[in-house]
Amino acid sequence: MSTISKRALATALLGTVAAAWSPWAAASSHREAPFITQHPKTDGTDFYLFRSYEPGRAGFVTLIANYVPLQDAYGGPNFFHMDPNALYEIHIDNNGDAREDLTFQFRFTNTNKDNTLTVGGKQVAIPLVINGGPIAGVNPPGLNVRETYTVSLVRGDRRGGSRTAVLNADTGGAVFDKPVDNIGNKSIPDYAAYAAAHVYNITIPGCGTPGRMFVGQRKDPFVVNLGETFDLINIKAPATEFAANAERAARDDLDDKNVTAIELEVAAACLTAPGASDPVIGGWTTASLRQGRLLNPAPQGSTASKEGGPWTQVSRLGMPLVNEVVIGLKDKDGFNSSKPSADGQFATYVTNPTLPALIEILFGAAGAKAPTNFPRNDLVATFLTGVKGLNQPAHVTPAEMLRLNTAIAPLAKGAQNRLGVIGGDNAGFPNGRRPGDDVVDIALRVVMGKLCTLNIGCVPGDAPAGALHFTDGAYLDDSFFNAAFPYLKTPIPGSPQQ
């Protein structure tokens, strides 16, 4: 890879900053940023982009956007509906210019079916938010609140491009039902079968090959030693030799949590640029809210507030952990309001990152010396351009997003390396991201110079700790997931009773 100077990188990125400002870019965040903690329903937690590895589906790409973090399975009575006043989006850039070419837009609606019981000769509305009886099948009578959604595909700019509805390939309908959360085994005796009834074959505008879609609660797929990580990275010191037990030495703090997943499976040929030979696509997710909110002092039904005005982006997620451990605190809300085309304003966080310096302060005695190459061209390749010869587009504008080379064949469950590319598996992170890629361990090793040992953007001598096996001790591989769409596991039930 050619050397990229910090000044040249910043100049290339900053050239588009002014053009990006609009009512769409006002304030944003994920859980790790201040603003989004007030709006958990629009909090993007993880984004996955990978060649489908289900047998017979190798020609497809799976996109998974997770929202609403840290869901306790027993968290009733409201549980975890999506926000009907929000706009959820998955964006695809297929020509490397850091601007969306395809955008899948999701809007949700909650309908109160107002189930009642006869009490003393009067029909009285029940207090239970979700169900007044067992639930089986799509929109059963016992369901008290029905959550549905619609999906549109926008080609071109998401504000002014052509917008067409995604349809149910079996019925032709444009409205889809979202399964309720896994309340418990008495309410939903067979949740796996119930959720499977909400996997839809879909007709995607402009794509001759039907895709698949699922939106609903899943077991949180992310694995992290969360508490100790934020206790000044209170994990085991890195080792010079591989030790499998070290990578399983700590608990996964998300082991008992669920999340809400928006999942699409789309033919790879429908995501790459028409007529182009470049197989690389980039992807990221966003969520937006209306700019204005008027609270109703005397709410009736579901009219506690009225939203209006332009959409305002409040969440953004592409590569994992970027806003969490790369972007400085003062810019976290700003990052989540921004577009990839405006990422020049954040270039210094990548070229001169603080995380390796913090790790050296905490683990320097164990030989964890931070890399010495500045600007960090290895991290530029990872986060901003893609790695040349792997997933860098033919013409690339540096910007933060997941990039996937759709020409690289997927590996079946059981054959995937949990460390992705640095483990010798080019079908894994950072070439896209699969559920079984342990991005915490990968990210720790990459920021400490693992790519320098592979001569990507730097040389081995630049990274004194590049060969160390950094790990948070929370283990993850492809055995944690299913071998077929929607891949993520059935969510944890709210009731332990069988």
Side-chain angles (χ1 to χ4, degrees):
M1 170 177 291
S2 60
T3 300
I4 304 174
S5 72
K6 180 179 176 181
R7 177 172 293 181
L9 172 66
T11 300
L13 287 168
L14 287 169
T16 57
V17 169
W21 179 257
S22 74
W24 284 79
S28 170
S29 169
H30 298 115
R31 177 60 183 261
E32 68 279 0
F35 182 78
I36 205 63
T37 60
Q38 305 171 51
H39 301 278
K41 289 186 177 183
T42 53
D43 183 354
T45 65
D46 284 287
F47 178 50
Y48 301 89
L49 179 67
F50 57 96
R51 283 277 301 273
S52 299
Y53 53 87
E54 177 182 344
R57 305 293 290 185
F60 290 81
V61 171
T62 295
L63 309 93
I64 303 176
N66 289 342
Y67 289 91
V68 195
L70 303 176
Q71 296 180 17
D72 291 318
Y74 48 82
N78 284 282
F79 291 95
F80 303 97
H81 289 123
M82 300 294 271
D83 189 345
N85 294 309
L87 174 67
Y88 300 87
E89 298 177 295
I90 300 175
H91 309 274
I92 296 294
D93 167 24
N94 58 23
N95 59 13
D97 66 354
R99 300 178 184 274
E100 64 270 12
D101 298 295
L102 304 170
T103 298
F104 293 92
Q105 297 183 329
F106 292 76
R107 294 294 308 276
F108 292 85
T109 300
N110 296 333
T111 303
N112 182 359
K113 296 168 68 174
D114 197 22
N115 288 345
T116 61
L117 290 177
T118 302
V119 181
K122 294 184 178 182
Q123 294 296 310
V124 183
I126 67 173
L128 297 176
V129 176
I130 300 297
N131 64 317
I135 294 174
V138 177
N139 190 28
L143 189 63
N144 198 24
V145 175
R146 182 188 185 192
E147 188 173 13
T148 60
Y149 62 99
T150 58
V151 189
S152 297
L153 174 61
V154 180
R155 294 186 180 274
D157 186 274
R158 60 179 172 174
R159 292 166 294 167
S162 63
R163 180 177 285 98
T164 315
V166 172
L167 302 177
N168 187 317
D170 298 319
T171 68
V175 177
F176 302 87
D177 276 87
K178 173 182 172 289
V180 301
D181 295 343
N182 195 355
I183 302 168
N185 299 320
K186 185 177 181 180
S187 295
I188 312 173
D190 188 348
Y191 192 89
Y194 166 70
H198 295 80
V199 175
Y200 297 101
N201 297 312
I202 56 174
T203 300
I204 301 170
C207 180
T209 305
R212 291 189 292 186
M213 181 169 65
F214 172 80
V215 178
Q217 191 181 52
R218 298 280 90 187
K219 166 69 181 71
D220 195 322
F222 193 51
V223 167
V224 62
N225 182 5
L226 195 62
E228 293 180 346
T229 296
F230 288 108
D231 182 23
L232 296 179
I233 319 181
N234 188 14
I235 58 179
K236 289 185 178 297
T240 56
E241 296 182 359
F242 177 79
N245 61 334
E247 295 177 340
R248 301 175 184 265
R251 68 181 186 181
D252 167 26
D253 287 326
L254 303 184
D255 184 58
D256 61 348
K257 304 298 182 183
N258 292 325
V259 74
T260 301
I262 295 175
E263 303 200 29
L264 289 168
E265 187 183 55
V266 183
C270 296
L271 295 174
T272 54
S277 59
D278 192 346
V280 177
I281 60 174
W284 69 100
T285 72
T286 61
S288 301
L289 295 170
R290 293 294 188 182
Q291 199 170 76
R293 170 172 292 178
L294 182 65
L295 298 181
N296 187 347
Q300 298 293 325
S302 58
T303 58
S305 66
K306 180 69 175 179
E307 275 70 22
W311 288 114
T312 302
Q313 185 178 301
V314 297
S315 180
R316 170 186 167 189
L317 181 61
M319 296 283 288
L321 303 172
V322 168
N323 206 12
E324 189 167 29
V325 298
V326 177
I327 303 298
L329 177 59
K330 67 185 180 69
D331 287 323
K332 287 182 182 294
D333 286 336
F335 175 83
N336 288 323
S337 72
S338 67
K339 295 183 177 182
S341 57
D343 279 349
Q345 62 190 306
F346 308 116
T348 298
Y349 289 123
V350 178
T351 59
N352 298 72
T354 57
L355 179 59
L358 291 171
I359 293 175
E360 178 174 325
I361 292 172
L362 297 170
F363 293 111
K369 304 297 183 182
T372 58
N373 54 305
F374 298 105
R376 287 290 302 274
N377 292 322
D378 53 327
L379 299 187
V380 169
T382 302
F383 293 110
L384 299 180
T385 66
V387 178
K388 190 173 183 179
L390 177 71
N391 64 341
Q392 185 179 111
H395 305 283
V396 60
T397 297
E400 188 278 305
M401 65 181 74
L402 270 179
R403 287 187 170 85
L404 173 69
N405 186 340
T406 63
I408 294 178
L411 291 179
K413 176 182 175 180
Q416 300 171 16
N417 189 298
R418 59 183 290 272
L419 297 177
V421 172
I422 65 171
D425 177 1
N426 284 349
F429 182 79
N431 180 33
R433 180 188 176 190
R434 302 167 302 198
D437 293 334
D438 193 338
V439 295
V440 175
D441 282 8
I442 297 170
L444 284 171
R445 299 179 194 192
V446 168
V447 299
M448 292 304 289
K450 177 63 178 179
L451 295 186
C452 296
T453 69
L454 304 175
N455 292 293
I456 297 176
C458 47
V459 297
D462 293 328
L468 296 185
H469 295 286
F470 291 87
T471 179
D472 71 329
Y475 188 82
L476 178 70
D477 65 15
D478 61 4
S479 68
F480 286 54
F481 303 96
N482 296 326
F485 186 85
Y487 295 103
L488 306 187
K489 291 281 191 178
T490 299
I492 299 166
S495 169
Q497 303 297 326
Q498 299 298 321

